[in-house]
């Protein structure tokens, strides 16, 4: 009973914040979608860090480390560099462009940069196809947590999360999604770090992490180094996951955050928080959990599903039940914070880029805000379909693969057009269309055409991002070089004016 | 990034970051992360594994380069 009361209070806090956000919002599209471009550095940090730190950091990441040793952490090192690169290299220009020209989505920025409605359609549908099923992963993560702790069916937790998400995004918009991430992030960090300290002090009282490491050396020393006990994370795969991590700068729900900044000083300070709080603190917590504490405290797990839940299992075994409920609240916080930003991004793509950009160019501010709000419901229902498919046994493995093998390579396919559009004056509409089209087509065919043994001959059995991204990039550069350079007014708006603005004090609040 | 490539300090900053990425790939590619069979894994301070240690060094290199460049030379500061 206490469980439900705690979770009820937790929900009421989120709903209360969403209602407050609705009350204080300016009821404009810019306010709903871009938080009125008022996000400062601290809020932005929590907003972005917990937009990317989903329930995966509690289940999937420690689970892989538990089974395969510490090699998978190279994905994190790549990601830290990727996120920092976004805010150091692309963020200032993207923000300045959207502020000066009132752009409301990164796809809109590129459509105007390349003067192409076709590119807007291609990028919108590509991003939506890869991000929406990813939203469904989050309610599923919570559903599993509910199931493990309370014995309730998976759909209860998934439905609980979905309702919270709908209320938060429809009422609150981008500003409150960002603000709520501070609350959710604190809950999650407290749960993850608190449980780590408590378990270590209880299970390894005579030496802490050193004792845990020594215990693991005696049980299975191969779990303390690459390639791990199964030999999976060899040199090639370590390099692969590092490169995939570097592509984090292209995740659309992270890119859009840069457009909500208050002023240019954010981009000066933000990387400091990424490196210190993100790279040297936050991501090391689940790393220690999955690679050291869990395998030493609870050895012998071999199945993927059990490994994914190993942190929660250890907590339930060694810590009081009330703390396990608090940790579940942290998992819900991680899931909601990520899914809310993904939902906001998806609804903006639907309302601003698909509906207003293609079908109804004369839509008013109020109309596209309404469309964005209601599209949230449709997106959640669709993503819940993914969860239900898992519930009735239509392929749990397929969904896990969707995240790692489809979503991340899919996000990467707009990277050449994005980077080229912001930094390379010579990049052309034809190059962006041809490069993105070739990359997406190659990715889809590469994933669909499989051998009898499940191999992917078109992708040379590599991670999908490895062969598809270079093709995309080469086609973009070659076609851009072969086609006429963009007109002068594009260079003025997207390069000269932006550079002048960023060098001036006008870009400071 | 265009503003960084336009002056010497920015080019040095970009070169440091690029070299750190290349160094990371070389260290991993040369097999320094792998423990030969029959030997104990490398543990710094008794618990820090090699993949964690090299990652921390990598982040520290980026952090120091960023602090030096963004607070003293970045044209948009």
């Amino acid at each position: 009973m206490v469980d439900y009361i705690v979770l009820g209070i937790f929900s009421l806090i989120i709903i209360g914040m969403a209602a407050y956000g609705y009350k204080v919002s300016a009821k404009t599209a810019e306010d709903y979608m871009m938080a009125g471009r008022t996000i400062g550095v601290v809020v932005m940090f929590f907003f972005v860090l917990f937009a990317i730190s989903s329930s995966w950091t509690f289940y999937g990441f420690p689970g892989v480390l538990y089974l395969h040793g510490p090699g998978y952490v190279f994905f994190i090192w790549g990601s830290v560099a990727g996120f920092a690169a976004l805010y150091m290299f692309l963020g200032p220009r993207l923000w300045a462009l959207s502020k000066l020209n009132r752009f409301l989505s990164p796809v809109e920025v590129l459509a105007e940069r390349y003067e192409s409605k076709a590119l807007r359609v291609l990028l919108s549908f590509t991003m939506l196809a890869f991000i929406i099923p990813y939203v469904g992963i989050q309610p599923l993560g919570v559903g599993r947590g509910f199931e493990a702790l309370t014995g309730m069916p998976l759909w209860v937790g998934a439905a609980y999360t979905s309702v919270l998400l709908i209320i938060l995004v429809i009422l609150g918009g981008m500003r409150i999604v960002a603000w709520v991430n501070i609350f959710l992030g604190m809950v999650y960090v407290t749960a993850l770090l608190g449980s780590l300290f408590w378990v270590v002090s209880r299970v390894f009282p005579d030496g802490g992490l050193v004792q845990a490491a020594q215990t693991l050396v005696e049980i299975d020393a191969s779990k303390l180094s690459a390639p791990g006990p199964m030999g999976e994370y060899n040199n090639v795969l370590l390099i692969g996951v590092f490169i995939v991590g570097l592509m984090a700068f292209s995740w659309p729900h992270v890119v859009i955050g840069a457009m909500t900044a208050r002023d240019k000083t954010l981009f000066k300070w933000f990387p400091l928080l990424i490196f210190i709080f993100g790279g040297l603190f936050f991501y090391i917590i689940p790393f220690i959990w999955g690679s050291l504490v869990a395998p030493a405290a609870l050895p012998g797990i071999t199945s993927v599903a059990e490994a994914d839940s190993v942190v929660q299992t250890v907590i339930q075994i060694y810590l009081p039940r009330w703390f396990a409920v608090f940790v579940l609240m942290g998992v819900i916080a991680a899931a909601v914070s990520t899914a809310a930003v993904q939902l906001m991004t998806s609804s903006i793509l639907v309302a601003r880029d698909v509906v207003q950009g293609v079908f109804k160019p004369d839509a008013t501010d109020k109309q596209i805000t309404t469309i964005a709000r209601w599209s949230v419901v449709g997106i959640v229902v669709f993503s819940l379909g993914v969860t239900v498919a898992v519930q009735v046994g239509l392929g749990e493995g397929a969904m896990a693969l969707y995240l790692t093998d489809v979503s991340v390579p899919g996000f990467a396919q707009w990277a050449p057009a994005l980077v080229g559009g912001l930094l390379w004056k010579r990049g052309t509409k034809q190059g962006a269309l041809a490069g993105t089209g070739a990359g997406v087509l190659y990715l889809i065919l590469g994933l669909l055409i499989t051998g009898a043994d499940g191999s992917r001959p078109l992708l040379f059995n590599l991670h999908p991002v490895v062969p598809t991204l270079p093709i995309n990039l080469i086609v973009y550069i070659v076609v851009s070089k072969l086609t006429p350079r963009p007109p002068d007014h594009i260079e003025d708006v997207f390069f000269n004016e932006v550079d002048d603005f960023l060098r001036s004090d006008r870009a400071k609040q | 990034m265009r503003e960084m490539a336009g002056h010497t300090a920015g080019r040095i900053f970009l070169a440091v970051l690029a070299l750190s990425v290349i160094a990371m790939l070389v260290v991993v590619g040369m097999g320094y992360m792998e423990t030969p069979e029959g030997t104990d894994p490398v543990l710094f301070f008794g618990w820090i594994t090699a993949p964690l240690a090299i990652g921390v060094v990598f982040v520290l290199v980026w952090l120091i380069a960023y602090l030096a460049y963004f607070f003293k030379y970045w044209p948009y500061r």
Side-chain angles (χ1 to χ4, degrees):
Chain A
M1 188 63 188
V2 176
D3 306 356
Y4 302 113
I5 293 172
V6 170
L7 292 173
I9 292 171
F10 176 73
S11 317
L12 286 175
I13 291 172
I14 294 176
I15 293 167
M17 289 179 79
Y20 175 75
Y22 183 77
K23 189 181 168 192
V24 302
S25 69
K27 310 290 187 294
T28 64
E30 188 172 41
D31 199 86
Y32 179 74
M33 297 177 182
M34 293 283 110
R37 301 184 210 277
T38 57
I39 302 294
V41 65
V42 174
V43 178
M44 179 71 83
F45 176 69
F46 279 91
F47 174 34
V48 172
L49 182 69
F50 294 102
I52 56 186
S53 303
S54 61
S55 54
W56 173 85
T57 53
F58 188 80
Y59 292 113
F61 180 44
V64 174
L65 295 168
Y66 181 97
L67 289 177
H68 299 288
Y72 190 55
V73 76
F74 280 90
F75 176 75
I76 295 297
W77 305 134
S79 299
V80 169
F83 293 133
L86 170 64
Y87 278 79
M88 291 193 296
F89 303 148
L90 305 179
R93 282 179 177 271
L94 186 61
W95 165 77
L97 268 172
S98 60
K99 184 177 175 71
L100 289 171
N101 300 284
R102 320 302 288 180
F103 294 141
L104 296 181
S105 97
V107 169
E108 182 184 9
V109 173
L110 295 184
E112 295 298 324
R113 157 66 177 84
Y114 293 110
E115 297 182 295
S116 172
K117 193 179 270 192
L119 185 69
R120 193 170 194 169
V121 173
L122 175 63
L123 289 178
S124 299
F125 282 104
T126 302
M127 292 302 112
L128 285 169
F130 292 121
I131 201 171
I132 288 178
Y134 192 0
V135 176
I137 309 270
Q138 307 306 327
L140 181 67
V142 174
R144 282 200 180 121
F146 261 77
E147 198 173 33
L149 186 69
T150 66
M152 283 190 289
L154 184 145
W155 68 266
V156 175
Y160 169 83
T161 312
S162 301
V163 171
L164 264 187
L165 275 172
I166 289 174
I167 294 171
L168 173 61
V169 176
I170 285 184
L171 287 182
M174 192 67 99
R175 179 185 289 107
I176 291 302
V177 165
W179 277 92
V180 166
N181 272 16
I182 297 178
F183 166 67
L184 298 175
M186 285 178 172
V187 170
Y188 186 47
V189 171
T190 308
L192 204 57
L193 188 62
S195 59
L196 179 65
F197 274 122
W198 201 344
V199 166
V200 168
S201 65
R202 181 167 281 193
V203 183
F204 308 107
D206 301 324
L209 294 178
V210 175
Q211 187 189 353
Q214 285 311 313
T215 306
L216 204 48
V217 167
E218 289 162 18
I219 297 170
D220 185 357
S222 66
K223 287 207 168 186
L224 286 167
S225 65
M230 299 177 211
E232 178 99 358
Y233 280 80
N234 55 26
N235 300 347
V236 176
L237 193 54
L238 292 183
I239 291 174
V241 294
F242 180 68
I243 292 171
V244 172
L246 286 172
M247 296 310 299
F249 76 85
S250 63
W251 295 9
H253 52 293
V254 183
V255 172
I256 205 166
M259 298 172 68
T260 65
R262 182 192 300 155
D263 63 29
K264 70 176 181 181
T265 56
L266 180 138
F267 299 97
K268 178 179 168 183
W269 289 96
F270 190 80
L272 185 67
L273 293 174
I274 294 182
F275 292 132
I276 293 178
F277 192 83
L280 299 178
F281 171 67
F282 177 74
Y283 286 113
I284 291 180
I285 304 172
F287 173 81
I288 293 173
W289 251 123
S291 70
L292 200 59
V293 173
L298 194 65
I301 289 174
T302 54
S303 81
V304 174
E306 286 182 40
D308 279 354
S309 308
V310 70
V311 175
Q312 187 167 11
T313 308
V314 171
I315 289 169
Q316 285 178 222
I317 291 172
Y318 291 105
L319 300 184
R321 183 178 167 79
W322 67 265
F323 196 80
V325 175
F326 177 64
V327 171
L328 178 61
M329 205 163 76
V331 175
I332 296 169
V336 169
S337 60
T338 299
V341 182
Q342 291 171 330
L343 262 181
M344 268 312 304
T345 307
S346 304
S347 68
I348 290 168
L349 289 175
V350 169
R352 182 69 168 181
D353 292 305
V354 176
V355 176
Q356 192 178 34
V358 179
F359 299 109
K360 196 171 169 54
D362 58 344
T364 64
D365 215 42
K366 191 176 177 183
Q367 283 173 324
I368 64 161
T369 308
T370 305
I371 292 165
R373 284 197 159 101
W374 286 110
S375 67
V376 166
V377 180
I379 293 165
V380 169
V381 168
F382 183 81
S383 69
L384 258 185
V386 178
T387 308
V388 171
V390 172
Q391 172 76 346
V392 297
L394 292 182
E396 191 167 350
M399 201 171 80
L401 284 176
Y402 199 98
L403 176 62
T404 56
D405 282 16
V406 182
S407 281
V408 173
F411 295 158
Q413 297 310 323
W414 78 326
L418 175 68
V419 175
L422 294 174
L423 302 178
W424 190 37
K425 291 179 181 176
R426 193 64 184 77
T428 66
K429 169 173 75 175
Q430 295 85 347
L433 275 169
T436 309
V440 170
L441 188 64
Y442 183 16
L443 176 63
I444 292 170
L445 291 176
L447 291 171
L448 291 180
I449 299 173
T450 56
D453 57 350
S455 61
R456 293 164 174 164
L458 287 184
L459 299 174
F460 308 104
N461 294 320
L462 297 167
H463 187 281
V465 83
V466 176
T468 56
L469 188 61
I471 294 294
N472 181 334
L473 181 63
I474 291 167
V475 172
Y476 172 68
I477 292 172
V478 170
V479 174
S480 289
K481 283 284 191 184
L482 292 175
T483 46
R485 62 183 303 126
D488 289 344
H489 72 268
I490 290 294
E491 188 169 323
D492 282 340
V493 171
F494 285 84
F495 294 91
N496 302 337
E497 285 178 10
V498 170
D499 200 48
D500 291 344
F501 176 68
L502 283 167
R503 286 176 192 273
S504 74
D505 283 339
R506 287 185 297 136
K508 285 183 182 173
Q509 199 183 42
Chain B
M1 196 177 202
R2 288 179 64 86
E3 78 284 3
M4 295 175 187
H7 66 150
T8 306
R11 286 193 287 272
I12 292 171
F13 172 65
L14 293 173
V16 169
L17 300 191
L19 283 173
S20 70
V21 171
I22 293 167
M24 186 79 135
L25 297 177
V26 169
V27 167
V28 173
M30 298 286 282
Y32 291 117
M33 287 298 103
E34 295 191 1
T35 304
E37 268 187 53
T39 58
D40 280 344
V42 177
L43 293 174
F44 301 94
F45 303 108
W47 67 273
I48 298 176
T49 53
L52 176 60
I54 193 177
V56 169
V57 171
F58 175 74
V59 174
L60 284 174
V61 169
W62 276 58
L63 172 63
I64 293 165
Y66 147 78
L67 286 172
Y69 178 72
F70 265 69
F71 287 84
K72 196 165 182 192
Y73 300 105
W74 191 43
Y76 298 159
R77 69 188 185 282

